[in-house]
Structures are given as C-alpha cells and as structure tokens.
Amino acid sequence: MDMPIHADITVHVNGDEHRLSVDTRASLLDVLREDLGLTGSKKGCDHGQCGACTVLLGGRRANACLALAVAHDGAEITTVEGLARDGRLSPVQRAFVENDAFQCGYCTPGQLCSATAVLDEAARGWPSAVTGDMAAEPPLDDAEIRERMSGNLCRCGAYTGIVAALREAAGEPDGAAREGARA
C-alpha cells in the first residue's frame, strides 16, 4: 500500500500563521479541526450540501469540506473562532444571540461565517439570484437574505431568527425588510 504524500503549506487562520505538513488528500475542514484544534466548523454532510463547515477563505465563504488544504497554501482563513475580536462578539454574532437564531447550535458556526459574508457581499453591491434590478444596490430584504443563506441548512428550523439576525446586523428596520419581501 502506498504511503500518503505530504506537502508543506502555510495558512493564516484567524490572524495567526501556521506552517503545516498535510496529507495532500486532506480537506481544509479536517486540517482546521484535527491539526489546528479549531472545532467550531462542523462536519455535517461532508459533501458541500449543508454549509455546517462554512469558513471565510480570502474573505469569501467556502465549504471547507470540499476544499483541499494543499490547494490553499498562503490562504487567509477565518473560522467562527476568528469572528469575535478582543473578546467581543461581532455584530453578526450579537444579532444571532439577540434574535435567537440558533437552536441546537450545530449549524451555527457555518451560519455565522456565511452571514458575515452575506453582509459583505450586499455592502459591495453584489446581486443574488433574486435581485430584481441588477444595476441598483440590492436591498437586503427577506427574499435576498433567504437566497443568500440558502447554502446553509438548519435542521432545527431557526430560519426566522436567522433572517431577523441578518436584518438587524445589516441595520435594516424590521418592517422595511418585510415590505421589500412582499414587493
């Protein structure tokens, strides 16, 4: 039987540099969890379908279970552990707590990373599949939030709280977001 091939990589995770020798077959999720001890990102389906493993890779969301670690030498990675700064929750984390946007919590790390990216995408004016006017800044209404978060599943059904949390973190008034969803 052939021995696994290892490669040396350097990754920057949550602001810290890590030099690692990784099996070339290892997923980024496995390296984060097993080699770096960052167990916030969860292994859900291990097929890129549930979003429990979502991390920010170069500021954009990615399913860590589908990413080969060796392909991300030099990458800037943010996991759920890196969202808080100086012991203070990020605005998205606070909004999730305040809006009861989690139940069992298994999907929450991926939801938080994805929600953080959603706010950045909307702030940059990036449209989604439900954006009506591609030339205008997309409103972050309920339909936009649901579409943008559709890659993150919650088996407990905390979607109402998740949508409310994103509206709050975006500074959208509750009523205005609902009106935009009806339009």
Side-chain angles (χ1 to χ4, degrees), residues 29-175:
L29 177 61
D30 289 338
V31 168
L32 290 169
R33 291 181 58 81
E34 296 169 18
D35 296 343
L36 298 180
L38 297 169
T39 58
S41 302
K42 304 298 185 217
K43 186 175 280 202
C45 66
D46 213 19
H47 287 69
Q49 297 174 350
C50 73
C53 66
T54 304
V55 297
L56 301 177
L57 190 56
R60 298 188 65 185
R61 53 191 156 158
N63 290 329
C65 73
L66 296 180
L68 286 175
V70 71
H72 297 287
D73 184 26
E76 293 285 339
I77 302 161
T78 304
T79 67
V80 69
E81 292 92 345
L83 295 179
R85 295 283 182 231
D86 301 320
R88 298 180 60 203
L89 297 178
S90 73
V92 171
Q93 289 172 310
R94 280 195 309 276
F96 265 62
V97 170
E98 292 168 7
N99 289 280
D100 197 24
F102 51 88
Q103 288 181 25
C104 81
Y106 195 83
C107 71
T108 304
Q111 298 275 3
L112 288 165
C113 285
S114 193
T116 299
V118 163
L119 294 178
D120 182 58
E121 292 164 8
R124 292 174 185 256
W126 295 356
S128 78
V130 299
T131 302
D133 183 355
M134 299 299 250
E137 185 173 322
L140 202 53
D141 59 26
D142 289 3
E144 281 283 343
I145 291 169
R146 286 187 182 104
E147 170 61 25
R148 291 170 187 265
M149 292 294 293
S150 65
N152 292 81
L153 304 179
C154 173
R155 293 187 66 175
C156 299
Y159 296 115
T160 302
I162 292 166
V163 170
L166 262 90
R167 280 195 314 261
E168 181 177 313
E172 294 289 331
D174 189 43

